[in-house]
Amino acid sequence: DSGVTQTPKHLITATGQRVTLRCSPRSGDLSVYWYQQSLDQGLQFLIQYYNGEERAKGNILERFSAQQFPDLHSELNLSSLELGDSALYFCASSAAVGGWQYFGPGTRLTVT
Amino acid sequence: DQQVKQNSPSLSVQEGRISILNCDYTNSMFDYFLWYKKYPAEGPTFLISISSIKDKNEDGRFTVFLNKSAKHLSLHIVPSQPGDSAVYFCAARVNAGGTSYGKLTFGQGTILTVHP
């Protein structure tokens, strides 16, 4: 158990809908990262937050957004969902920017 | 542009033998390289890392070798055990001078199967 929690574990929704994925980092970790893993792909970095502020952006679509709250949990919002958004979404946390990242169990999103 | 590549999608070895997983990279801004192990229905678990200024790091049965001139690293598992069967991801971290410090760039993963 990495100490990073993600909810929900599974999510099935229809095209055009909007969903929110939630991540609670390890106790004391200030930095949160979001990654997407599509079928047969490695993990693709989406976005990073540190203590509530956005630090870096990767290949994140404009339909996706994220935020980190004062209690340090983070949410990833995916809107106008398309079939191609079906993937595993992982959250990771580290104590500081650049620290080793510990991953949550992921949320499997299926868009039908 | 795939900056970290694992060219072998899968590897099968016999229990007790050596497993060698390979990874190539292109970006000279990487300062640390990491290996993560992933079981089905779980998130990746950190396994071992190596700084870009070193050429070898060892932790028990796991050794990572870095060849900077070739931009190549490898993970050796000796002896391999059936419990090592998992997907192994190579990852690289952008250094503090980069705009995305801390971000990890992952390879596609290699499925390791260790047969009893």
Side-chain angles (χ1 to χ4, degrees), chain B residues 50-82:
Chain B
I50 187 166
S51 163
S52 61
I53 61 172
K54 301 245 168 138
D55 54 20
K56 178 181 173 181
N57 187 28
E58 195 171 347
D59 184 2
R61 296 185 298 113
F62 303 91
T63 303
V64 57
F65 295 92
L66 176 62
N67 182 332
K68 271 189 87 171
S69 60
K71 291 192 168 69
H72 176 85
L73 64 153
S74 60
L75 174 68
H76 293 211
I77 307 174
V78 184
S80 301
Q81 300 173 354

PDB file of all heavy atoms in Angstrom, chain B residues 50-82:
ATOM      1  N   ILE B  50      18.702   5.212 -10.445  1.00  0.00           N
ATOM      2  CA  ILE B  50      20.116   5.485 -10.647  1.00  0.00           C
ATOM      3  C   ILE B  50      20.277   6.935 -11.073  1.00  0.00           C
ATOM      4  O   ILE B  50      19.501   7.435 -11.903  1.00  0.00           O
ATOM      5  CB  ILE B  50      20.753   4.519 -11.671  1.00  0.00           C
ATOM      6  CG1 ILE B  50      22.268   4.730 -11.733  1.00  0.00           C
ATOM      7  CG2 ILE B  50      20.129   4.677 -13.058  1.00  0.00           C
ATOM      8  CD1 ILE B  50      23.009   3.613 -12.460  1.00  0.00           C
ATOM      9  N   SER B  51      21.248   7.591 -10.493  1.00  0.00           N
ATOM     10  CA  SER B  51      21.560   8.957 -10.880  1.00  0.00           C
ATOM     11  C   SER B  51      22.310   8.944 -12.208  1.00  0.00           C
ATOM     12  O   SER B  51      23.039   7.998 -12.511  1.00  0.00           O
ATOM     13  CB  SER B  51      22.439   9.597  -9.804  1.00  0.00           C
ATOM     14  OG  SER B  51      23.066  10.751 -10.298  1.00  0.00           O
ATOM     15  N   SER B  52      22.153  10.030 -12.958  1.00  0.00           N
ATOM     16  CA  SER B  52      22.829  10.110 -14.249  1.00  0.00           C
ATOM     17  C   SER B  52      24.347  10.216 -14.108  1.00  0.00           C
ATOM     18  O   SER B  52      25.067  10.090 -15.098  1.00  0.00           O
ATOM     19  CB  SER B  52      22.299  11.303 -15.044  1.00  0.00           C
ATOM     20  OG  SER B  52      22.540  12.504 -14.338  1.00  0.00           O
ATOM     21  N   ILE B  53      24.838  10.436 -12.888  1.00  0.00           N
ATOM     22  CA  ILE B  53      26.292  10.548 -12.717  1.00  0.00           C
ATOM     23  C   ILE B  53      26.903   9.200 -12.280  1.00  0.00           C
ATOM     24  O   ILE B  53      28.108   9.098 -12.077  1.00  0.00           O
ATOM     25  CB  ILE B  53      26.675  11.643 -11.701  1.00  0.00           C
ATOM     26  CG1 ILE B  53      26.105  11.338 -10.317  1.00  0.00           C
ATOM     27  CG2 ILE B  53      26.213  13.000 -12.195  1.00  0.00           C
ATOM     28  CD1 ILE B  53      26.616  12.291  -9.240  1.00  0.00           C
ATOM     29  N   LYS B  54      26.062   8.210 -12.132  1.00  0.00           N
ATOM     30  CA  LYS B  54      26.557   6.879 -11.749  1.00  0.00           C
ATOM     31  C   LYS B  54      26.400   5.929 -12.941  1.00  0.00           C
ATOM     32  O   LYS B  54      25.682   6.221 -13.896  1.00  0.00           O
ATOM     33  CB  LYS B  54      25.738   6.345 -10.582  1.00  0.00           C
ATOM     34  CG  LYS B  54      25.764   7.220  -9.352  1.00  0.00           C
ATOM     35  CD  LYS B  54      26.422   6.523  -8.226  1.00  0.00           C
ATOM     36  CE  LYS B  54      26.675   7.538  -7.131  1.00  0.00           C
ATOM     37  NZ  LYS B  54      26.395   7.087  -5.843  1.00  0.00           N
ATOM     38  N   ASP B  55      27.061   4.775 -12.845  1.00  0.00           N
ATOM     39  CA  ASP B  55      26.871   3.794 -13.907  1.00  0.00           C
ATOM     40  C   ASP B  55      26.271   2.479 -13.387  1.00  0.00           C
ATOM     41  O   ASP B  55      25.933   1.601 -14.178  1.00  0.00           O
ATOM     42  CB  ASP B  55      28.181   3.518 -14.666  1.00  0.00           C
ATOM     43  CG  ASP B  55      29.319   3.126 -13.745  1.00  0.00           C
ATOM     44  OD1 ASP B  55      29.047   2.698 -12.610  1.00  0.00           O
ATOM     45  OD2 ASP B  55      30.487   3.252 -14.169  1.00  0.00           O
ATOM     46  N   LYS B  56      26.144   2.380 -12.079  1.00  0.00           N
ATOM     47  CA  LYS B  56      25.582   1.144 -11.517  1.00  0.00           C
ATOM     48  C   LYS B  56      24.967   1.433 -10.158  1.00  0.00           C
ATOM     49  O   LYS B  56      25.498   2.216  -9.361  1.00  0.00           O
ATOM     50  CB  LYS B  56      26.705   0.108 -11.378  1.00  0.00           C
ATOM     51  CG  LYS B  56      26.288  -1.215 -10.775  1.00  0.00           C
ATOM     52  CD  LYS B  56      27.489  -2.144 -10.669  1.00  0.00           C
ATOM     53  CE  LYS B  56      27.159  -3.415  -9.904  1.00  0.00           C
ATOM     54  NZ  LYS B  56      28.328  -4.314  -9.789  1.00  0.00           N
ATOM     55  N   ASN B  57      23.829   0.786  -9.896  1.00  0.00           N
ATOM     56  CA  ASN B  57      23.235   0.830  -8.571  1.00  0.00           C
ATOM     57  C   ASN B  57      22.626  -0.529  -8.283  1.00  0.00           C
ATOM     58  O   ASN B  57      21.944  -1.103  -9.135  1.00  0.00           O
ATOM     59  CB  ASN B  57      22.167   1.927  -8.466  1.00  0.00           C
ATOM     60  CG  ASN B  57      21.673   2.092  -7.042  1.00  0.00           C
ATOM     61  OD1 ASN B  57      22.400   1.814  -6.086  1.00  0.00           O
ATOM     62  ND2 ASN B  57      20.439   2.543  -6.880  1.00  0.00           N
ATOM     63  N   GLU B  58      22.897  -1.026  -7.086  1.00  0.00           N
ATOM     64  CA  GLU B  58      22.480  -2.383  -6.745  1.00  0.00           C
ATOM     65  C   GLU B  58      21.610  -2.368  -5.495  1.00  0.00           C
ATOM     66  O   GLU B  58      21.881  -1.640  -4.540  1.00  0.00           O
ATOM     67  CB  GLU B  58      23.741  -3.206  -6.491  1.00  0.00           C
ATOM     68  CG  GLU B  58      23.566  -4.691  -6.470  1.00  0.00           C
ATOM     69  CD  GLU B  58      24.918  -5.420  -6.436  1.00  0.00           C
ATOM     70  OE1 GLU B  58      25.942  -4.756  -6.673  1.00  0.00           O
ATOM     71  OE2 GLU B  58      24.917  -6.626  -6.188  1.00  0.00           O
ATOM     72  N   ASP B  59      20.579  -3.202  -5.504  1.00  0.00           N
ATOM     73  CA  ASP B  59      19.715  -3.346  -4.335  1.00  0.00           C
ATOM     74  C   ASP B  59      19.216  -4.773  -4.290  1.00  0.00           C
ATOM     75  O   ASP B  59      18.247  -5.124  -4.972  1.00  0.00           O
ATOM     76  CB  ASP B  59      18.544  -2.363  -4.409  1.00  0.00           C
ATOM     77  CG  ASP B  59      17.665  -2.421  -3.165  1.00  0.00           C
ATOM     78  OD1 ASP B  59      17.974  -3.181  -2.222  1.00  0.00           O
ATOM     79  OD2 ASP B  59      16.646  -1.707  -3.117  1.00  0.00           O
ATOM     80  N   GLY B  60      19.912  -5.591  -3.532  1.00  0.00           N
ATOM     81  CA  GLY B  60      19.518  -6.987  -3.425  1.00  0.00           C
ATOM     82  C   GLY B  60      19.662  -7.700  -4.758  1.00  0.00           C
ATOM     83  O   GLY B  60      20.724  -7.695  -5.369  1.00  0.00           O
ATOM     84  N   ARG B  61      18.560  -8.285  -5.223  1.00  0.00           N
ATOM     85  CA  ARG B  61      18.601  -9.020  -6.494  1.00  0.00           C
ATOM     86  C   ARG B  61      18.539  -8.102  -7.717  1.00  0.00           C
ATOM     87  O   ARG B  61      18.649  -8.572  -8.840  1.00  0.00           O
ATOM     88  CB  ARG B  61      17.427  -9.993  -6.545  1.00  0.00           C
ATOM     89  CG  ARG B  61      17.463 -11.088  -5.494  1.00  0.00           C
ATOM     90  CD  ARG B  61      16.316 -12.098  -5.674  1.00  0.00           C
ATOM     91  NE  ARG B  61      14.999 -11.497  -5.544  1.00  0.00           N
ATOM     92  CZ  ARG B  61      14.132 -11.389  -6.548  1.00  0.00           C
ATOM     93  NH1 ARG B  61      14.434 -11.843  -7.752  1.00  0.00           N
ATOM     94  NH2 ARG B  61      12.940 -10.843  -6.326  1.00  0.00           N
ATOM     95  N   PHE B  62      18.329  -6.819  -7.490  1.00  0.00           N
ATOM     96  CA  PHE B  62      18.121  -5.874  -8.581  1.00  0.00           C
ATOM     97  C   PHE B  62      19.338  -4.966  -8.763  1.00  0.00           C
ATOM     98  O   PHE B  62      19.837  -4.386  -7.796  1.00  0.00           O
ATOM     99  CB  PHE B  62      16.884  -5.014  -8.311  1.00  0.00           C
ATOM    100  CG  PHE B  62      15.627  -5.814  -8.108  1.00  0.00           C
ATOM    101  CD1 PHE B  62      15.235  -6.232  -6.844  1.00  0.00           C
ATOM    102  CD2 PHE B  62      14.839  -6.170  -9.196  1.00  0.00           C
ATOM    103  CE1 PHE B  62      14.082  -6.984  -6.671  1.00  0.00           C
ATOM    104  CE2 PHE B  62      13.688  -6.919  -9.031  1.00  0.00           C
ATOM    105  CZ  PHE B  62      13.316  -7.336  -7.765  1.00  0.00           C
ATOM    106  N   THR B  63      19.804  -4.884 -10.006  1.00  0.00           N
ATOM    107  CA  THR B  63      20.915  -3.991 -10.349  1.00  0.00           C
ATOM    108  C   THR B  63      20.533  -3.215 -11.590  1.00  0.00           C
ATOM    109  O   THR B  63      20.038  -3.804 -12.564  1.00  0.00           O
ATOM    110  CB  THR B  63      22.210  -4.779 -10.617  1.00  0.00           C
ATOM    111  OG1 THR B  63      22.524  -5.577  -9.474  1.00  0.00           O
ATOM    112  CG2 THR B  63      23.369  -3.822 -10.885  1.00  0.00           C
ATOM    113  N   VAL B  64      20.760  -1.920 -11.549  1.00  0.00           N
ATOM    114  CA  VAL B  64      20.521  -1.100 -12.740  1.00  0.00           C
ATOM    115  C   VAL B  64      21.866  -0.576 -13.231  1.00  0.00           C
ATOM    116  O   VAL B  64      22.697  -0.135 -12.437  1.00  0.00           O
ATOM    117  CB  VAL B  64      19.510   0.039 -12.465  1.00  0.00           C
ATOM    118  CG1 VAL B  64      19.959   0.927 -11.330  1.00  0.00           C
ATOM    119  CG2 VAL B  64      19.255   0.853 -13.712  1.00  0.00           C
ATOM    120  N   PHE B  65      22.060  -0.684 -14.543  1.00  0.00           N
ATOM    121  CA  PHE B  65      23.274  -0.205 -15.192  1.00  0.00           C
ATOM    122  C   PHE B  65      22.914   0.939 -16.123  1.00  0.00           C
ATOM    123  O   PHE B  65      21.900   0.880 -16.822  1.00  0.00           O
ATOM    124  CB  PHE B  65      23.923  -1.336 -16.022  1.00  0.00           C
ATOM    125  CG  PHE B  65      24.416  -2.482 -15.207  1.00  0.00           C
ATOM    126  CD1 PHE B  65      23.594  -3.577 -14.958  1.00  0.00           C
ATOM    127  CD2 PHE B  65      25.704  -2.497 -14.688  1.00  0.00           C
ATOM    128  CE1 PHE B  65      24.044  -4.652 -14.202  1.00  0.00           C
ATOM    129  CE2 PHE B  65      26.166  -3.556 -13.930  1.00  0.00           C
ATOM    130  CZ  PHE B  65      25.320  -4.638 -13.686  1.00  0.00           C
ATOM    131  N   LEU B  66      23.751   1.969 -16.130  1.00  0.00           N
ATOM    132  CA  LEU B  66      23.522   3.117 -17.010  1.00  0.00           C
ATOM    133  C   LEU B  66      24.742   3.334 -17.893  1.00  0.00           C
ATOM    134  O   LEU B  66      25.863   3.437 -17.407  1.00  0.00           O
ATOM    135  CB  LEU B  66      23.250   4.373 -16.179  1.00  0.00           C
ATOM    136  CG  LEU B  66      23.096   5.683 -16.957  1.00  0.00           C
ATOM    137  CD1 LEU B  66      21.897   5.621 -17.898  1.00  0.00           C
ATOM    138  CD2 LEU B  66      22.969   6.865 -16.000  1.00  0.00           C
ATOM    139  N   ASN B  67      24.492   3.414 -19.189  1.00  0.00           N
ATOM    140  CA  ASN B  67      25.540   3.726 -20.167  1.00  0.00           C
ATOM    141  C   ASN B  67      25.152   5.059 -20.802  1.00  0.00           C
ATOM    142  O   ASN B  67      24.337   5.118 -21.725  1.00  0.00           O
ATOM    143  CB  ASN B  67      25.619   2.617 -21.220  1.00  0.00           C
ATOM    144  CG  ASN B  67      26.717   2.865 -22.242  1.00  0.00           C
ATOM    145  OD1 ASN B  67      27.087   4.006 -22.515  1.00  0.00           O
ATOM    146  ND2 ASN B  67      27.228   1.799 -22.823  1.00  0.00           N
ATOM    147  N   LYS B  68      25.714   6.135 -20.277  1.00  0.00           N
ATOM    148  CA  LYS B  68      25.315   7.481 -20.721  1.00  0.00           C
ATOM    149  C   LYS B  68      25.679   7.741 -22.170  1.00  0.00           C
ATOM    150  O   LYS B  68      24.945   8.399 -22.893  1.00  0.00           O
ATOM    151  CB  LYS B  68      25.943   8.561 -19.839  1.00  0.00           C
ATOM    152  CG  LYS B  68      25.112   8.934 -18.642  1.00  0.00           C
ATOM    153  CD  LYS B  68      25.675  10.142 -17.946  1.00  0.00           C
ATOM    154  CE  LYS B  68      25.138  11.427 -18.549  1.00  0.00           C
ATOM    155  NZ  LYS B  68      25.526  12.601 -17.723  1.00  0.00           N
ATOM    156  N   SER B  69      26.823   7.245 -22.592  1.00  0.00           N
ATOM    157  CA  SER B  69      27.238   7.519 -23.972  1.00  0.00           C
ATOM    158  C   SER B  69      26.285   6.878 -24.962  1.00  0.00           C
ATOM    159  O   SER B  69      26.009   7.421 -26.026  1.00  0.00           O
ATOM    160  CB  SER B  69      28.675   7.050 -24.210  1.00  0.00           C
ATOM    161  OG  SER B  69      28.772   5.661 -23.971  1.00  0.00           O
ATOM    162  N   ALA B  70      25.756   5.719 -24.591  1.00  0.00           N
ATOM    163  CA  ALA B  70      24.809   5.032 -25.464  1.00  0.00           C
ATOM    164  C   ALA B  70      23.371   5.423 -25.160  1.00  0.00           C
ATOM    165  O   ALA B  70      22.449   4.971 -25.853  1.00  0.00           O
ATOM    166  CB  ALA B  70      24.968   3.519 -25.325  1.00  0.00           C
ATOM    167  N   LYS B  71      23.163   6.200 -24.111  1.00  0.00           N
ATOM    168  CA  LYS B  71      21.816   6.576 -23.658  1.00  0.00           C
ATOM    169  C   LYS B  71      20.972   5.307 -23.468  1.00  0.00           C
ATOM    170  O   LYS B  71      19.862   5.175 -24.007  1.00  0.00           O
ATOM    171  CB  LYS B  71      21.142   7.550 -24.623  1.00  0.00           C
ATOM    172  CG  LYS B  71      21.788   8.935 -24.648  1.00  0.00           C
ATOM    173  CD  LYS B  71      20.904   9.937 -25.393  1.00  0.00           C
ATOM    174  CE  LYS B  71      21.345  11.357 -25.208  1.00  0.00           C
ATOM    175  NZ  LYS B  71      22.615  11.683 -25.846  1.00  0.00           N
ATOM    176  N   HIS B  72      21.519   4.412 -22.691  1.00  0.00           N
ATOM    177  CA  HIS B  72      20.903   3.103 -22.494  1.00  0.00           C
ATOM    178  C   HIS B  72      21.013   2.702 -21.036  1.00  0.00           C
ATOM    179  O   HIS B  72      22.041   2.917 -20.392  1.00  0.00           O
ATOM    180  CB  HIS B  72      21.609   2.068 -23.373  1.00  0.00           C
ATOM    181  CG  HIS B  72      21.108   0.674 -23.183  1.00  0.00           C
ATOM    182  ND1 HIS B  72      20.006   0.179 -23.845  1.00  0.00           N
ATOM    183  CD2 HIS B  72      21.565  -0.330 -22.395  1.00  0.00           C
ATOM    184  CE1 HIS B  72      19.801  -1.070 -23.462  1.00  0.00           C
ATOM    185  NE2 HIS B  72      20.729  -1.405 -22.601  1.00  0.00           N
ATOM    186  N   LEU B  73      19.924   2.136 -20.508  1.00  0.00           N
ATOM    187  CA  LEU B  73      20.015   1.551 -19.177  1.00  0.00           C
ATOM    188  C   LEU B  73      19.348   0.190 -19.176  1.00  0.00           C
ATOM    189  O   LEU B  73      18.535  -0.135 -20.070  1.00  0.00           O
ATOM    190  CB  LEU B  73      19.412   2.452 -18.095  1.00  0.00           C
ATOM    191  CG  LEU B  73      17.941   2.797 -18.083  1.00  0.00           C
ATOM    192  CD1 LEU B  73      17.512   3.090 -16.666  1.00  0.00           C
ATOM    193  CD2 LEU B  73      17.686   4.022 -18.945  1.00  0.00           C
ATOM    194  N   SER B  74      19.764  -0.623 -18.204  1.00  0.00           N
ATOM    195  CA  SER B  74      19.203  -1.962 -18.114  1.00  0.00           C
ATOM    196  C   SER B  74      18.993  -2.320 -16.651  1.00  0.00           C
ATOM    197  O   SER B  74      19.698  -1.843 -15.770  1.00  0.00           O
ATOM    198  CB  SER B  74      20.111  -2.986 -18.805  1.00  0.00           C
ATOM    199  OG  SER B  74      21.381  -3.002 -18.207  1.00  0.00           O
ATOM    200  N   LEU B  75      18.011  -3.149 -16.439  1.00  0.00           N
ATOM    201  CA  LEU B  75      17.698  -3.676 -15.115  1.00  0.00           C
ATOM    202  C   LEU B  75      17.979  -5.174 -15.137  1.00  0.00           C
ATOM    203  O   LEU B  75      17.445  -5.891 -15.983  1.00  0.00           O
ATOM    204  CB  LEU B  75      16.226  -3.427 -14.766  1.00  0.00           C
ATOM    205  CG  LEU B  75      15.732  -4.063 -13.463  1.00  0.00           C
ATOM    206  CD1 LEU B  75      16.382  -3.391 -12.258  1.00  0.00           C
ATOM    207  CD2 LEU B  75      14.204  -3.970 -13.361  1.00  0.00           C
ATOM    208  N   HIS B  76      18.837  -5.620 -14.211  1.00  0.00           N
ATOM    209  CA  HIS B  76      19.152  -7.029 -14.087  1.00  0.00           C
ATOM    210  C   HIS B  76      18.502  -7.574 -12.819  1.00  0.00           C
ATOM    211  O   HIS B  76      18.646  -6.963 -11.738  1.00  0.00           O
ATOM    212  CB  HIS B  76      20.670  -7.242 -14.016  1.00  0.00           C
ATOM    213  CG  HIS B  76      21.380  -6.905 -15.294  1.00  0.00           C
ATOM    214  ND1 HIS B  76      22.533  -7.549 -15.693  1.00  0.00           N
ATOM    215  CD2 HIS B  76      21.106  -6.011 -16.277  1.00  0.00           C
ATOM    216  CE1 HIS B  76      22.929  -7.060 -16.850  1.00  0.00           C
ATOM    217  NE2 HIS B  76      22.087  -6.114 -17.217  1.00  0.00           N
ATOM    218  N   ILE B  77      17.838  -8.692 -12.943  1.00  0.00           N
ATOM    219  CA  ILE B  77      17.230  -9.360 -11.788  1.00  0.00           C
ATOM    220  C   ILE B  77      17.865 -10.742 -11.691  1.00  0.00           C
ATOM    221  O   ILE B  77      17.738 -11.560 -12.603  1.00  0.00           O
ATOM    222  CB  ILE B  77      15.699  -9.498 -11.948  1.00  0.00           C
ATOM    223  CG1 ILE B  77      15.065  -8.136 -12.269  1.00  0.00           C
ATOM    224  CG2 ILE B  77      15.094 -10.081 -10.676  1.00  0.00           C
ATOM    225  CD1 ILE B  77      13.566  -8.214 -12.576  1.00  0.00           C
ATOM    226  N   VAL B  78      18.589 -10.948 -10.576  1.00  0.00           N
ATOM    227  CA  VAL B  78      19.270 -12.235 -10.392  1.00  0.00           C
ATOM    228  C   VAL B  78      19.157 -12.679  -8.935  1.00  0.00           C
ATOM    229  O   VAL B  78      19.561 -11.920  -8.056  1.00  0.00           O
ATOM    230  CB  VAL B  78      20.778 -12.121 -10.750  1.00  0.00           C
ATOM    231  CG1 VAL B  78      21.451 -13.480 -10.646  1.00  0.00           C
ATOM    232  CG2 VAL B  78      20.990 -11.533 -12.116  1.00  0.00           C
ATOM    233  N   PRO B  79      18.697 -13.892  -8.655  1.00  0.00           N
ATOM    234  CA  PRO B  79      18.026 -14.783  -9.596  1.00  0.00           C
ATOM    235  C   PRO B  79      16.567 -14.380  -9.762  1.00  0.00           C
ATOM    236  O   PRO B  79      15.960 -13.827  -8.844  1.00  0.00           O
ATOM    237  CB  PRO B  79      18.128 -16.135  -8.898  1.00  0.00           C
ATOM    238  CG  PRO B  79      18.098 -15.784  -7.433  1.00  0.00           C
ATOM    239  CD  PRO B  79      18.775 -14.449  -7.305  1.00  0.00           C
ATOM    240  N   SER B  80      15.999 -14.655 -10.891  1.00  0.00           N
ATOM    241  CA  SER B  80      14.591 -14.326 -11.140  1.00  0.00           C
ATOM    242  C   SER B  80      13.691 -15.299 -10.382  1.00  0.00           C
ATOM    243  O   SER B  80      14.017 -16.495 -10.248  1.00  0.00           O
ATOM    244  CB  SER B  80      14.288 -14.421 -12.634  1.00  0.00           C
ATOM    245  OG  SER B  80      15.111 -13.536 -13.353  1.00  0.00           O
ATOM    246  N   GLN B  81      12.579 -14.773  -9.892  1.00  0.00           N
ATOM    247  CA  GLN B  81      11.620 -15.583  -9.150  1.00  0.00           C
ATOM    248  C   GLN B  81      10.238 -15.416  -9.786  1.00  0.00           C
ATOM    249  O   GLN B  81       9.946 -14.359 -10.362  1.00  0.00           O
ATOM    250  CB  GLN B  81      11.560 -15.127  -7.684  1.00  0.00           C
ATOM    251  CG  GLN B  81      12.884 -15.236  -6.946  1.00  0.00           C
ATOM    252  CD  GLN B  81      12.844 -14.627  -5.565  1.00  0.00           C
ATOM    253  OE1 GLN B  81      11.853 -14.013  -5.165  1.00  0.00           O
ATOM    254  NE2 GLN B  81      13.927 -14.793  -4.810  1.00  0.00           N
ATOM    255  N   PRO B  82       9.385 -16.404  -9.659  1.00  0.00           N
ATOM    256  CA  PRO B  82       8.034 -16.286 -10.245  1.00  0.00           C
ATOM    257  C   PRO B  82       7.286 -15.044  -9.763  1.00  0.00           C
ATOM    258  O   PRO B  82       6.530 -14.442 -10.527  1.00  0.00           O
ATOM    259  CB  PRO B  82       7.341 -17.572  -9.774  1.00  0.00           C
ATOM    260  CG  PRO B  82       8.454 -18.553  -9.636  1.00  0.00           C
ATOM    261  CD  PRO B  82       9.629 -17.750  -9.122  1.00  0.00           C
TER     262      PRO B  82
END
